[in-house]
Amino acid sequence: MATPINNNMAAIKRYVVVGGGIAGVSCAEQLSQMDPTAHITLVSASKLIKSVTNFQKVTRTLELFDVEETDVSHLTRSCSNVTVINSHMTSVNPDQHIIHLHNSQALSYHKLCLCLGARPKLITRDHPNDVIGIRDTESVGTLQHKLSSARRVVIVGNGGIATELVYELSGCTVLWVVKDSSISSTFFDEGAASFFLPSLRTQGEASGTGGSGAAPDETVKTKPLKRMRYLLDPVDQSASGEGKDDTSGTAMGSALGPDWSSGIKMIGNNKEKGRNVHVEYNCEVERLLDSQEMKSLSLTETLLSGTENESIDSDKTSWPFYVKLTNGKVYGADFIVSATGVIPNTDRLLDTIDISKDDLGLVVDEEMRTSAVDVYAAGDVCTTSWPSVPNTWFQMRLWSQARQMGAYAAKCMLAHSGGESITLDFCFELFAHVTTFFGYKVVLLGCYNAQGLGKDYELLLRITNGVEYVKVILQHGRMVGAILIGDTDLEETFENLILNRMDLTRYGENLLDPSIDIEDYFD
């Protein structure tokens, strides 16, 4: 029989946070800082938690920080009123304000915040030794171990993890399978993707392009290209639909933070071999096959064309497995990395809290409350339901939003405990994210890919091949989004222009004139 714990001193507010990732730790830290008298319990399935370090405000909404995986003592030393329990939650009873843990404990709470994170959406679970998902430190260790003997790796997915992996992997051939007509479509349109393509080359040699893609012009020009504005259909933002849902409920470690690949060696069995990437566009993995299935189906392996040292790749008559793509091609490989998105960890909550039908996240309102009384949620496990006006913020399951949501959820819990209401935090006024892809600084602001704008928008572009890529989205003469690649130093200026809703009609194409110091002009 479960025995409630921490039931003494009823007058003291008892806050429970479940999850040792960025959202959960940020929530616990914020609660501790704002109410040093509160009793705060953090429940973490892992003995290691994610701590935000070297925090820096770049602009009003843009943040830079590192994430360190530390022992729980790091948190308890800095937050004396935080207790950490190494366990995982099995169920929630909102009526009794109790959560049940796997070690038969029952933990009572005044306010509860669920920061359960998400798990990788694997394309298949039928080949557990051949298909891995990258989500936590342990899975990265598995990747490194497999890489040490690998000559060819298949990466499936077109988001952030896949993009970082493709750039970091060396010493083997990488077959990148994307369902779109350009790389990294989660973040970039085809123009920005073309800007990055030369980064996939090894020592100046173009990689194979596969599918319908084409390598950019070999002549790299450094003179800025100031293009006239033009209309463009928006990028499809619908869910990929790739892979099967992972409903195993297996507990994983906390999600990787920013720059997770920094300092991690990801080298295949041929250490002399540099980056060698082949991209297959507009296709997905249809099925995985072993050698016997290949023979029974009379299938022939497709040889990679235009890749470095292909003869080395081809001298192996039998691979551990083969991938059959929807474009009819069949490739052999040592293993596959499934980077096709994540699934919120809400399996054990389906009967107690409202779940989004679209992405299976816990539905939260503008004060991070779920449908259950005194139960909040933050980070990858939740799905926001509030309207964004103006429509320049949207949810994307990123570590930057996880930190913001965790801290904001803490503010909401404290406000409601005192019978107060709270206004939506300003960090939700504008989508803002800064990261690094292919060695370039990347800043995404607002509706950077014209999300939700239909066809009622126009673009301005400024491109310096190999140096910078600047894209601005305008609607009715006002800036609503931007992509900044490279050291442009325009993020604060563009952030202010978006937030201030300034009419820029009179500036026309001169807004991105390379001879004009935009930052100084609008200062």
Side-chain angles (χ1 to χ4, degrees):
M1 179 177 179
T3 302
I5 64 176
N6 293 328
N7 257 334
N8 59 318
M9 301 181 68
I12 297 178
K13 300 298 184 183
R14 293 185 300 278
Y15 300 96
V16 175
V17 181
V18 182
I22 298 175
V25 174
S26 296
C27 183
E29 289 178 330
Q30 189 71 37
L31 285 168
S32 177
Q33 292 169 12
M34 295 183 68
D35 187 357
T37 66
H39 186 284
I40 303 161
T41 301
L42 176 69
V43 179
S44 174
S46 172
K47 294 181 179 179
L48 299 176
I49 60 174
K50 299 291 185 181
S51 298
V52 172
T53 62
N54 302 321
F55 181 81
Q56 176 187 352
K57 290 287 289 185
V58 180
T59 66
R60 187 186 180 196
T61 57
L62 278 172
E63 302 173 350
L64 273 177
F65 56 85
D66 298 324
V67 174
E68 294 182 0
E69 193 169 52
T70 63
D71 186 82
V72 295
S73 60
H74 176 88
L75 176 64
T76 55
R77 281 197 304 267
S78 60
C79 303
S80 59
N81 58 334
V82 174
T83 301
V84 179
I85 296 178
N86 184 213
S87 181
H88 69 262
M89 185 187 72
T90 57
S91 64
V92 178
N93 188 328
D95 294 332
Q96 296 183 15
H97 280 54
I98 288 177
I99 67 169
H100 296 275
L101 308 181
H102 86 289
N103 53 6
S104 298
Q105 285 182 314
L107 188 63
S108 62
Y109 64 84
H110 171 67
K111 300 285 186 184
L112 170 68
C113 187
L114 300 175
C115 304
L116 302 171
R119 59 188 181 275
K121 182 192 296 181
L122 300 182
I123 60 171
T124 178
R125 301 192 65 83
D126 297 334
H127 294 254
N129 295 323
D130 299 323
V131 180
I132 64 172
I134 302 299
R135 179 63 181 170
D136 55 8
T137 305
E138 183 178 357
S139 60
V140 172
T142 301
L143 171 63
Q144 288 181 290
H145 175 72
K146 285 182 170 290
L147 270 176
S148 62
S149 59
R151 294 181 308 147
R152 186 187 294 170
V153 177
V154 177
I155 296 179
V156 182
N158 212 8
I161 294 291
T163 299
E164 291 178 279
L165 275 176
V166 167
Y167 182 71
E168 295 294 338
L169 288 181
S170 63
C172 62
T173 297
V174 174
L175 176 65
W176 192 4
V177 179
V178 301
K179 66 183 181 63
D180 309 290
S181 59
S182 61
I183 63 172
S184 310
S185 63
T186 299
F187 296 98
F188 308 116
D189 59 15
E190 293 191 16
S194 297
F195 176 87
F196 284 124
L197 274 177
S199 299
L200 297 182
R201 304 173 185 174
T202 299
Q203 298 177 344
E205 295 182 8
S207 66
T209 56
S212 61
D217 194 317
E218 293 293 332
T219 304
V220 178
K221 300 178 181 180
T222 58
K223 182 179 179 181
L225 302 175
K226 179 171 172 293
R227 298 188 178 181
M228 300 296 287
R229 67 178 70 187
Y230 61 94
L231 299 178
L232 185 70
D233 287 342
V235 176
D236 182 12
Q237 297 298 313
S238 61
S240 67
E242 293 180 271
K244 300 178 181 179
D245 287 353
D246 177 1
T247 56
S248 66
T250 303
M252 298 188 68
S254 302
L256 297 165
D259 301 324
W260 63 271
S261 60
S262 298
I264 297 177
K265 293 183 179 180
M266 289 185 277
I267 305 174
N269 77 327
N270 187 352
K271 295 179 173 57
E272 303 300 320
K273 190 174 186 178
R275 186 181 301 113
N276 186 26
V277 181
H278 179 96
V279 186
E280 285 290 344
Y281 295 99
N282 297 311
C283 64
E284 300 178 55
V285 174
E286 182 177 309
R287 62 182 297 189
L288 272 62
L289 307 163
D290 58 27
S291 299
Q292 293 301 318
E293 290 173 313
M294 285 282 289
K295 292 180 181 179
S296 64
L297 295 173
S298 300
L299 295 175
T300 303
E301 177 187 357
T302 304
L303 295 180
L304 291 173
S305 59
T307 56
E308 183 183 89
N309 297 331
E310 179 57 42
S311 59
I312 296 178
D313 285 342
S314 302
D315 64 0
K316 191 172 185 178
T317 56
S318 178
W319 294 88
F321 74 98
Y322 298 83
V323 291
K324 185 175 186 297
L325 306 180
T326 52
N327 61 8
K329 297 182 181 180
V330 180
Y331 292 104
D334 290 302
F335 68 92
I336 188 169
V337 178
S338 180
T340 54
V342 296
I343 304 171
N345 290 320
T346 56
D347 301 57
R348 296 181 176 90
L349 304 170
L350 296 176
D351 297 328
T352 56
I353 302 176
D354 287 349
I355 306 293
S356 168
K357 295 180 180 179
D358 295 328
D359 60 12
L360 302 180
L362 297 176
V363 179
V364 296
D365 63 14
E366 64 275 12
E367 296 180 31
M368 306 308 292
R369 295 172 296 199
T370 68
S371 60
V373 177
D374 293 327
V375 178
Y376 301 71
D380 290 355
V381 76
C382 78
T383 299
T384 59
S385 62
W386 64 77
S388 179
V389 181
N391 187 26
T392 54
W393 185 90
F394 54 91
Q395 183 182 10
M396 185 178 286
R397 287 179 167 85
L398 302 166
W399 33 263
S400 54
Q401 288 192 356
R403 194 209 68 79
Q404 293 169 339
M405 286 183 175
Y408 176 58
K411 297 175 184 177
C412 294
M413 294 163 74
L414 290 168
H416 298 158
S417 294
E420 302 174 358
S421 60
I422 187 171
T423 57
L424 190 65
D425 197 281
F426 68 85
C427 67
F428 301 112
E429 293 179 12
L430 174 70
F431 177 89
H433 185 61
V434 56
T435 187
T436 301
F437 285 134
F438 301 105
Y440 291 92
K441 176 184 176 182
V442 176
V443 175
L444 308 174
L445 295 172
C447 305
Y448 62 88
N449 262 344
Q451 294 93 333
L453 302 181
K455 297 183 179 180
D456 184 22
Y457 68 92
E458 51 189 349
L459 304 180
L460 288 179
L461 291 176
R462 188 176 84 196
I463 306 169
T464 306
N465 287 336
V467 178
E468 69 171 11
Y469 179 95
V470 179
K471 181 180 80 171
V472 168
I473 295 91
L474 299 172
Q475 186 177 49
H476 307 309
R478 291 172 170 78
M479 190 182 299
V480 293
I483 291 179
L484 307 174
I485 301 174
D487 295 319
T488 66
D489 293 327
L490 293 173
E491 50 265 30
E492 186 170 14
T493 299
F494 283 7
E495 177 191 80
N496 290 332
L497 290 176
I498 296 174
L499 290 173
N500 295 338
R501 304 284 293 168
M502 181 178 178
D503 190 344
L504 303 171
T505 305
R506 58 175 174 162
Y507 300 104
E509 285 80 36
N510 292 326
L511 185 65
L512 294 187
D513 191 324
S515 64
I516 298 176
D517 188 344
I518 306 173
E519 184 180 10
D520 181 65
Y521 185 84
F522 288 105
D523 187 14

